[in-house]
């Protein structure tokens, strides 16, 4: 049996999930980890804190950002990222909504990588190829399927 605090936490989480389903806009934050091009210790000393429970990102000296629909930290894989967005894709497939994926951030923050247009293999595929595969798989080859796709990188 759950203690009161655990039950309260679960009730709040269920309410949050129900509220989340009703939102018209979902905002996800993916915080990229350091890569070789960043140089040694690029994230060291930044005081970076990513909270999936609190759905926020905090940078020491710069404040807390959020809440987001979900937050993916530096260890998140391409698969983790798509799994977080999959309910939005599924809603579009079911005709309950339209979808837009917008990757925003400064140069070198991982936008192109996250979208997945430069994948080196299936494990590296980003949001776009995974979403398209899911859309066409759902069509199952029967009937007529109309898909509009626009891509723009500035």
């Amino acid at each position: 049996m759950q203690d009161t605090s655990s039950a309260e936490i679960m009730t709040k989480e269920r309410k949050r999930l129900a509220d989340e389903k009703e939102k018209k806009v979902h905002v996800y934050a993916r915080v990229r980890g350091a890569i070789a091009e960043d140089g040694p210790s690029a994230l060291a000393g930044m005081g970076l804190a990513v909270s999936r429970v609190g759905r926020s990102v905090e940078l020491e000296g710069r404040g807390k950002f959020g809440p987001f629909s979900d937050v993916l930290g530096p260890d998140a894989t391409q698969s983790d990222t798509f799994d977080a967005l999959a309910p939005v894709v599924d809603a579009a497939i079911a005709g309950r909504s339209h979808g837009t994926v917008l990757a925003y951030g400064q140069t070198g923050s991982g936008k192109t990588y996250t979208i997945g247009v430069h994948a080196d293999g299936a494990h590296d595929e980003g949001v776009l190829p995974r979403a398209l595969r899911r859309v066409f798989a759902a069509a199952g080859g029967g009937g007529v399927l109309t898909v509009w796709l626009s891509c723009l990188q500035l």
Side-chain angles (χ1 to χ4, degrees), residues 5-39:
S5 62
S6 294
E8 287 173 6
I9 290 170
M10 291 305 294
T11 300
K12 286 180 183 177
E13 183 64 9
R14 278 193 292 274
K15 182 183 180 327
R16 182 191 73 78
L17 290 172
D19 290 346
E20 198 65 35
K21 287 180 183 176
E22 296 299 316
K23 282 186 176 178
K24 300 290 183 197
V25 176
H26 298 269
V27 180
Y28 297 82
R30 183 176 190 188
V31 179
R32 173 181 72 74
I35 57 176
E37 291 84 17
D38 291 336

Side-chain angles (χ1 to χ4, degrees), residues 3-154:
D3 63 9
T4 304
S5 62
S6 294
E8 287 173 6
I9 290 170
M10 291 305 294
T11 300
K12 286 180 183 177
E13 183 64 9
R14 278 193 292 274
K15 182 183 180 327
R16 182 191 73 78
L17 290 172
D19 290 346
E20 198 65 35
K21 287 180 183 176
E22 296 299 316
K23 282 186 176 178
K24 300 290 183 197
V25 176
H26 298 269
V27 180
Y28 297 82
R30 183 176 190 188
V31 179
R32 173 181 72 74
I35 57 176
E37 291 84 17
D38 291 336
S41 306
L43 294 177
M46 286 184 67
L48 175 68
V50 175
S51 171
R52 286 197 86 177
V53 174
R55 296 171 298 135
S56 63
V57 176
E58 188 168 356
L59 288 173
E60 188 176 293
R62 296 209 178 166
K64 188 175 187 176
F65 304 92
F68 297 99
S69 299
D70 200 353
V71 177
L72 299 132
D75 295 332
T77 65
Q78 293 285 68
S79 182
D80 295 336
T81 303
F82 182 74
D83 289 347
L85 300 171
V88 178
V89 175
D90 293 339
I93 290 169
R96 295 189 310 268
S97 70
H98 296 282
T100 297
V101 176
L102 171 71
Y104 177 81
Q106 72 182 58
T107 300
S109 62
K111 301 174 299 294
T112 302
Y113 176 77
T114 296
I115 294 299
V117 295
H118 293 294
D120 289 330
H123 72 283
D124 244 2
E125 282 184 334
V127 171
L128 184 60
R130 290 171 195 256
L132 287 173
R133 188 176 306 105
R134 196 169 192 127
V135 167
F136 291 119
V144 175
L145 176 68
T146 303
V147 175
W148 287 275
L149 172 67
S150 298
C151 296
L152 174 67
Q153 182 171 354
L154 300 176

